[in-house]
Amino acid sequence: MIANNPIFIPGPTNIPERLRLAMAKAAWDHRSPAFGEIISPIAKGLQQIFGDPGAHVAFFTGSGTTGWQSVLVNLLAPGQRVLAVRNGMFSERWIALAQDLGLVVDIIEAPWGQGAPIAELGDALAQDSAHQIAAVLAVHNETSTGVRSDIAAIRQALDGTKHPALLCVDGVSSIASMPFKMQEWGVDAAVAGSQKGFMLPTGLAIVALSDKARALAAANKGPKGCLNLEILFTALTAGSFPFTPAVSLVSGLAESIEMLLEEGLPQVHARHRHIAQGVRAAVTAWGLEPVAHSPELFSDTVTAIRVPPGYSGNAVVEHARNRYAMNFGIGLGPDGDRVFRIGHLGYLSEAMVLSGLAVAEMTLHDLNFSLTLGAGVAAAQRHFSDKTEA
Ligand SMILES: *Cc1c(COP(=O)(O)O)cnc(C)c1O
């Protein structure tokens, strides 16, 4: 079967030819001045992409999860308290990791499909008059449900209660695709990964800290192992790595940043919004519901879609893969089989996403969902087409 189709999982994402070529290099010396020249401009580009020209940035071998761990071990110590919202699988995994590292996690439960509940966060912070909560852990874009939380509002809840806790944000599936304003939102630690908006294979964790967070990390005497960010910041500022980096991915990251800045970050964000709206138009035309409870929560990088009673989300994903050689995301979490997900982030055009919608639609049709072939594709076409219909 010809299987050179775009991929529609919410990471890893499609890897453009330009980045594949940027990574296809013979072995080279990671301590050479030539490699230093690759490293040096990366920090400035990342500061722009994270939305904070003064952020301290580090990138190192690992995945998004490694990035989380680096934030937790650098900024916190076992026994400290953190406050976290559980509203999906990635927030759940971050909580589990924090607990494994010996942190005491105060958990605010929210329904899967909802964003971070700001009033409850504010109450929890207000009740903590002794300021025992050292950090708030938030997931900007919950990839399991396709829900975007309001990070600016979490900052307001912290400021409104004059609470000094750090604001640590998982931006793995939003940074480089959706607006992320680290400085404006007062984010102290932000985490991204190479395999989502950066359009690269998995393998790099990308982390940014505020001045306050870096100072705390440098003063934190707890064990950090090979995830010591201060050592990384110092080396990267000098154009080198403390240990052998994933050289090909670092070359790819430099090129990816160039691609994103060439297109323009506002244009990248607008393209993601535009593509996401086309996907949502199709979902509505199929008569299906997103998991996200209301439009202001809709993610521009992934749509999680509920299947009607009696249908299986996993069957949708399997059929699309086996029959049409196209990959969509399975549902995650307790309700997993009730959901499938369309990832629409990274290197994606209108034409590419139309092919995904056409296959998703044929798949639903093959599996006896009640829909008219072409309805979803036509809805997306109407959204994408220059000519508005009368
Ligand atoms: C993909 C993702 C992660 C990171 O997962 P890894 O598999 O470790 O890269 C973390 N958070 C969110 C919201 C994600 O989408």
Side-chain angles (χ1 to χ4, degrees), residues 10 63-65 68 90 93 139 141 143 170 172-173 195-196 202:
S63 74
T65 308
W68 282 342
F90 288 93
R93 279 182 36 199
V139 175
N141 189 72
T143 316
D170 170 347
V172 179
S173 64
Q195 80 273 30
K196 310 230 172 160
T202 316

Side-chain angles (χ1 to χ4, degrees), residues 46 48-51 140 171-180 192-194 196-199 206 253 256-257 260 263-265 267-269 271-272 301 345-347:
L46 290 177
Q48 282 177 263
I49 292 163
F50 279 68
H140 182 213
V172 179
S173 64
S174 58
I175 290 172
S177 306
M178 285 157 57
F180 193 89
S194 52
K196 310 230 172 160
F198 289 96
M199 309 171 281
I206 306 169
L253 181 61
S256 157
I257 291 168
L260 291 164
E263 184 176 352
L265 293 177
Q267 288 76 11
V268 170
H269 300 154
R271 174 168 55 80
H272 279 82
T301 60
L345 73 163
Y347 190 70

Side-chain angles (χ1 to χ4, degrees), residues 27 58 62 223-224 312:
K224 299 161 191 164
S312 154

Side-chain angles (χ1 to χ4, degrees), residues 77-363:
Q80 276 190 306
R81 265 173 73 193
V82 300
L83 178 64
V85 174
R86 176 155 54 200
N87 65 334
M89 204 202 70
F90 288 93
S91 53
E92 157 65 25
R93 279 182 36 199
W94 203 6
I95 289 167
L97 184 68
Q99 289 170 331
D100 186 60
L101 292 169
L103 297 166
V104 180
V105 189
D106 293 353
I107 301 170
I108 295 181
E109 303 286 350
W112 287 41
Q114 279 295 6
I118 303 303
E120 283 176 56
L121 274 166
D123 288 348
L125 292 167
Q127 276 167 27
D128 179 36
S129 50
H131 292 168
Q132 286 184 333
I133 294 169
V136 175
L137 310 184
V139 175
H140 182 213
N141 189 72
E142 209 359 297
T143 316
S144 59
T145 56
V147 164
R148 184 177 49 82
S149 282
D150 187 347
I151 303 300
I154 300 180
R155 165 48 59 198
Q156 281 163 17
L158 281 158
D159 292 350
T161 51
K162 297 202 165 32
H163 201 294
L166 296 164
L167 177 53
C168 302
V169 180
D170 170 347
V172 179
S173 64
S174 58
I175 290 172
S177 306
M178 285 157 57
F180 193 89
K181 302 178 180 174
M182 179 157 177
Q183 184 178 42
E184 189 182 318
W185 299 341
V187 172
D188 291 296
V191 180
S194 52
Q195 80 273 30
K196 310 230 172 160
F198 289 96
M199 309 171 281
L200 294 167
T202 316
L204 289 180
I206 306 169
V207 172
L209 298 189
S210 67
D211 288 338
K212 174 182 165 185
R214 180 173 177 177
L216 263 169
N220 183 359
K221 298 281 176 267
K224 299 161 191 164
C226 63
L227 298 178
N228 188 319
L229 290 175
E230 190 55 36
I231 291 175
L232 273 158
F233 291 142
T234 307
L236 287 168
T237 306
S240 68
F241 269 91
F243 35 76
T244 318
V247 170
S248 56
L249 286 166
V250 173
S251 305
L253 181 61
E255 193 75 16
S256 157
I257 291 168
E258 251 184 69
M259 281 182 77
L260 291 164
L261 297 182
E262 268 173 32
E263 184 176 352
L265 293 177
Q267 288 76 11
V268 170
H269 300 154
R271 174 168 55 80
H272 279 82
R273 166 63 53 96
H274 178 66
I275 297 269
Q277 286 168 337
V279 171
R280 295 194 283 259
V283 171
T284 305
W286 294 332
L288 298 178
E289 297 276 342
V291 174
H293 286 189
S294 53
E296 82 279 2
L297 299 169
F298 287 160
S299 161
D300 285 338
T301 60
V302 53
T303 301
I305 302 153
R306 213 173 277 292
V307 298
Y311 291 88
S312 154
N314 291 341
V316 171
V317 172
E318 261 171 53
H319 186 80
R321 183 193 298 127
N322 296 337
R323 171 65 184 84
Y324 300 109
M326 196 174 269
N327 289 281
F328 296 93
I330 56 164
L332 297 175
D335 251 4
D337 195 34
R338 315 289 324 128
V339 170
F340 72 99
R341 295 174 303 147
I342 300 181
H344 37 82
L345 73 163
Y347 190 70
L348 212 53
S349 65
E350 292 163 330
M352 288 159 87
V353 85
L354 281 169
S355 74
L357 294 173
V359 166
E361 190 163 88
M362 286 190 288
T363 298

